[in-house]
Amino acid sequence: MNVIAVRTLREFWKTHSDAEGPLQAWYAEADSANWATPQDIKDRFPSADFVGDRVVFNIKGNTYRLIVAVHFSSRVMFIKFIGTHAEYGKIDAATVSYRR
């Protein structure tokens, strides 16, 4: 999968250094994955939740949440949100979009 906006992850772990390793691991796996269906993601990440065309991943034991929009036909994932569990509780996973 082609993960768009990896810089978003890097910017996040600059202020949340404990997220760096888990986010790098997630990215390495997603970047090399060949997911064709939501079930492919669920098979690898059983705790992932689906909201429309978006997937919510638990990062670092659910300390952080990562939301990506997935376009299976073009093999692209767009990072829409990365934040703490508390920040996630204040957004709508279906509509949130990353802003600098």
Side-chain angles (χ1 to χ4, degrees):
M1 303 296 288
N2 184 16
V3 180
I4 304 297
V6 176
R7 178 176 31 167
T8 304
L9 302 180
R10 289 187 194 114
E11 289 174 0
F12 185 78
W13 74 54
K14 283 181 185 177
T15 57
H16 302 278
S17 60
D18 62 326
E20 183 175 2
L23 286 172
Q24 286 179 337
W26 175 87
Y27 172 76
E29 183 144 355
D31 186 57
S32 65
N34 189 22
W35 295 321
T37 67
Q39 188 60 50
D40 292 338
I41 294 173
K42 197 70 170 166
D43 288 346
R44 175 55 191 99
F45 294 96
S47 65
D49 293 318
F50 295 84
V51 180
D53 71 341
R54 295 177 177 208
V55 184
V56 181
F57 293 95
N58 297 324
I59 303 295
K60 194 181 175 278
N62 207 20
T63 301
Y64 303 107
R65 294 282 180 93
L66 171 65
I67 300 174
V68 298
V70 181
H71 298 271
F72 291 103
S73 61
S74 57
R75 296 185 24 85
V76 176
M77 300 176 87
F78 296 93
I79 296 172
K80 296 295 186 177
F81 173 85
I82 178 69
T84 66
H85 190 86
E87 290 167 336
Y88 173 82
K90 297 176 184 175
I91 57 104
D92 179 356
T95 61
V96 69
S97 187
Y98 179 75
R99 293 187 188 112
R100 286 200 221 189

